[in-house]
């Protein structure tokens, strides 16, 4: 059954040069870099904190942070100054301090931020996007923009604007599972900082692994020690066959993920001599979605690009993090290295839609390439590239697509 909604007038909240959808790592990079390049920027975020998976999702470590300069280096330096950097592999951070830091940075750049707001549909003029409808406590509002950057992770606006996309494996469409991170306290000081899986081996000495996997179906979990003594994040839960860009499935996955956290805490209580008398300190506001839409762009980062370490003249981000596939249909994790490959600007320019860029895990790439570039250091760098390009297009009165054509 369908209901026809009566036509109505929508208030235009504001007009801006660059509209960024999503304030996760990619969105933060896009908004700050566009503002610093002289553009007027509006940043729309559905949560109550900036940072996306860093803060709402309790995701750490900060993979591929050290290979990039720019905002990657800037955030690391600020977090070090706050004693909020360190932990596992010396690339982990305190999510609360990250949230406070991001507030300071966007406000310092006079970025117009709109929290608790969901971007629902693009405003189109033919093939050109002219803005986005957002819904929040004020109702439905329109934000008009010269360039829109979709940093939603799921490519929501790009897909609804008509850009083509793929999801999952090319042969069967199956996608990587979600993970509900959680924070614990009470970890023993002498638990080795970089021994990520030792706690799991200890659990399997106390309980049959088949029983453990029935409750929490992943056999390569990680304990991520944080800078503050006694605190750690646990990456263990796996929720399969739920699509993160489907509202019902996302809800189902969230309840399932929290149930797995309860099971995980039961098993952690079995290994007090190893881990300490740990307790559940915090649940994330959102579940971690690894993979949904990959928006097809002017260039598709391929499997061969990854294997051969492909370089590009219009590189916005070099990826060093290895291919990391949390298998969609079993408890295993498939990882392999590569020589380092470039993300070209062309992979951020969707086909069929004008005035639109993507950044983050929803850019144009293969299933395998996505499994390497989806980490937050690379998403931040992609966002920076997108923001700079958007500001350049506005300042030079051209289009984001012409920028990539001119660079060839």
């Amino acid at each position: 059954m369908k209901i026809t909604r009566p036509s109505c007038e929508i208030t235009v909240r504001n007009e801006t040069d660059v509209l960024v959808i999503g304030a996760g790592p990619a969105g933060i990079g896009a908004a700050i870099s566009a503002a610093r390049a002289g553009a007027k920027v509006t940043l729309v975020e559905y949560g109550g904190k900036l940072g996306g998976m860093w803060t709402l999702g309790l995701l750490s470590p900060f993979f591929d942070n050290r290979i990039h300069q720019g905002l990657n280096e800037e955030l690391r330096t600020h977090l070090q100054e706050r004693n909020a950097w360190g932990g596992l592999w010396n690339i982990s951070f305190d999510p609360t301090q990250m949230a406070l830091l991001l507030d300071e940075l966007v406000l310092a750049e006079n970025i117009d931020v709109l929290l608790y707001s969901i971007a629902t549909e693009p405003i189109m003029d033919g093939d050109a996007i002219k803005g986005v409808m957002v819904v929040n406590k004020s109702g439905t509002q329109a934000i008009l923009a010269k360039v829109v950057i979709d940093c939603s992770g799921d490519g929501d606006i790009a897909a609804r604007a008509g850009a083509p996309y793929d999801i999952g494996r090319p042969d069967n469409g199956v996608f990587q599972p979600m993970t509900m991170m959680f924070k614990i306290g009470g970890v023993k000081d002498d638990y080795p900082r970089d021994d990520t899986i030792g706690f799991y081996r200890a659990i399997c000495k106390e309980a049959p692994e088949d029983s453990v996997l029935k409750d929490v179906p992943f056999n390569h979990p990680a304990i991520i020690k944080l800078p503050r003594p006694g605190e750690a994040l646990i990456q263990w839960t796996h929720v399969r066959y739920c699509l993160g860009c489907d509202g019902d499935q996302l809800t189902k996955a969230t309840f399932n993920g929290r149930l797995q956290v309860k099971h995980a805490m039961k098993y952690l209580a079995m290994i007090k001599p190893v881990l300490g008398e740990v307790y559940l300190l915090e649940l994330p506001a959102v579940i971690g979605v690894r993979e949904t839409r990959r928006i097809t762009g002017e260039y598709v980062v391929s499997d061969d690009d990854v294997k051969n370490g492909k370089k590009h003249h219009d590189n916005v981000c070099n990826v060093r993090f290895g291919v990391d596939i949390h298998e969609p249909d079993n408890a295993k994790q498939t990882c392999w290295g590569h020589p380092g490959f470039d993300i070209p600007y062309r992979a951020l320019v969707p086909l069929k839609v004008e005035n639109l860029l993507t950044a983050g895990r929803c850019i144009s790439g293969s299933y395998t390439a996505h499994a390497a570039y989806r980490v937050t250091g690379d998403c931040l760098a992609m966002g920076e590239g997108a923001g700079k390009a958007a500001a350049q297009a506005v300042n030079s009165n051209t289009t984001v697509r012409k920028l990539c054509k001119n660079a060839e």
Side-chain angles (χ1 to χ4, degrees):
M1 183 176 70
K2 294 184 178 180
I3 296 174
T4 300
R5 185 167 58 183
S7 60
C8 60
E9 293 184 344
I10 303 297
T11 299
V12 175
R13 177 187 179 270
N14 67 295
E15 298 183 34
T16 190
D17 293 333
V18 178
L19 171 59
V20 179
I21 304 302
I28 287 294
I32 292 176
S33 63
R36 288 177 176 176
K40 183 180 178 182
V41 179
T42 294
L43 175 61
V44 174
E45 166 57 38
Y46 77 99
K49 290 180 186 177
L50 303 176
M53 285 305 301
W54 281 332
T55 55
L56 296 171
L58 301 181
L59 178 63
S60 194
F62 201 150
F63 287 121
D64 264 6
N65 168 267
R66 291 189 179 276
I67 71 166
H68 300 300
Q69 296 181 329
L71 278 169
N72 269 277
E73 183 178 18
E74 186 175 338
L75 292 184
R76 181 174 70 249
T77 299
H78 282 306
L79 290 166
Q80 287 171 337
E81 291 169 350
R82 295 164 183 247
N83 296 316
W85 181 270
L88 179 63
W89 300 322
N90 199 31
I91 54 170
S92 300
F93 57 88
D94 182 327
T96 300
Q97 287 299 318
M98 175 68 90
L100 295 173
L101 170 60
L102 297 179
D103 282 358
E104 294 170 13
L105 291 178
V106 299
L107 293 175
E109 300 300 334
N110 293 315
I111 295 169
D112 171 39
V113 180
L114 194 58
L115 299 176
Y116 306 112
S117 299
I118 298 176
T120 57
E121 57 185 294
I123 300 167
M124 303 297 295
D125 182 4
D127 292 333
I129 188 169
K130 297 297 184 180
V132 174
M133 296 289 190
V134 300
V135 174
N136 55 32
K137 287 290 186 178
S138 299
T140 300
Q141 300 173 305
I143 300 176
L144 304 181
K146 296 173 183 175
V147 178
V148 174
I149 309 178
D150 188 336
C151 301
S152 65
D154 304 311
D156 291 330
I157 294 303
R160 292 167 193 165
Y165 62 87
D166 292 306
I167 296 177
R169 292 172 176 162
D171 56 342
N172 60 11
V174 179
F175 41 87
Q176 294 193 58
M178 303 183 199
T179 288
M180 177 73 71
M181 299 289 291
F182 59 100
K183 185 193 287 189
I184 59 173
V187 179
K188 291 174 63 176
D189 290 341
D190 61 358
Y191 187 86
R193 184 191 71 176
D194 296 338
D195 183 7
T196 58
I197 199 170
F199 79 98
Y200 184 72
R201 296 192 187 101
I203 287 170
C204 291
K205 291 179 181 178
E206 301 296 326
E209 187 171 20
D210 287 348
S211 174
V212 177
L213 289 175
K214 183 178 179 181
D215 289 334
V216 192
F218 182 45
N219 64 4
H220 202 84
I223 179 169
I224 302 161
K225 293 194 78 173
L226 295 175
R228 200 189 332 259
E231 293 186 0
L233 298 173
I234 303 292
Q235 180 189 283
W236 187 1
T237 68
H238 258 201
V239 181
R240 303 183 192 132
Y241 309 119
C242 285
L243 187 59
C245 54
D246 179 288
D248 289 324
Q249 293 183 46
L250 188 60
T251 300
K252 177 183 177 181
T254 300
F255 280 110
N256 185 281
R258 286 200 284 259
L259 177 61
Q260 289 187 35
V261 171
K262 290 174 64 176
H263 290 314
M265 290 304 301
K266 174 186 66 178
Y267 289 113
L268 294 180
M270 294 179 178
I271 56 168
K272 293 178 184 178
V274 174
L275 195 58
E277 295 202 28
V278 300
Y279 51 90
L280 184 60
L281 194 60
E282 186 178 357
L283 289 168
V286 297
I287 192 169
V289 179
R290 284 189 177 84
E291 179 187 9
T292 55
R293 303 183 188 96
R294 304 187 308 276
I295 305 297
T296 307
E298 290 283 341
Y299 186 91
V300 180
V301 183
S302 69
D303 292 11
D304 285 342
D305 288 354
V306 178
K307 295 172 184 175
N308 299 327
K310 180 77 171 180
K311 304 298 181 185
H312 292 279
H313 66 277
D314 58 344
N315 172 40
V316 297
C317 170
N318 183 259
V319 178
R320 300 292 180 84
F321 189 76
V323 171
D324 176 20
I325 299 173
H326 293 243
E327 293 295 344
D329 39 23
N330 61 60
K332 296 180 181 179
Q333 185 175 3
T334 300
C335 300
W336 49 272
H338 53 78
F341 63 94
D342 287 352
I343 302 291
Y345 169 68
R346 287 163 290 157
L348 278 55
V349 183
L351 298 178
K352 297 187 177 181
V353 184
E354 301 302 321
N355 307 332
L356 177 67
L357 293 172
T358 59
R361 62 177 171 84
C362 64
I363 68 157
S364 180
S366 69
Y367 174 80
T368 298
H370 168 275
Y373 62 63
R374 62 179 170 79
V375 296
T376 60
D378 296 326
C379 288
L380 177 61
M382 283 186 256
E384 281 187 88
K388 291 174 185 176
Q392 182 181 347
V394 171
N395 294 337
S396 58
N397 196 30
T398 188
T399 69
V400 292
R401 195 178 310 280
K402 285 181 180 178
L403 288 180
C404 71
K405 299 296 185 183
N406 293 340
E408 293 180 352

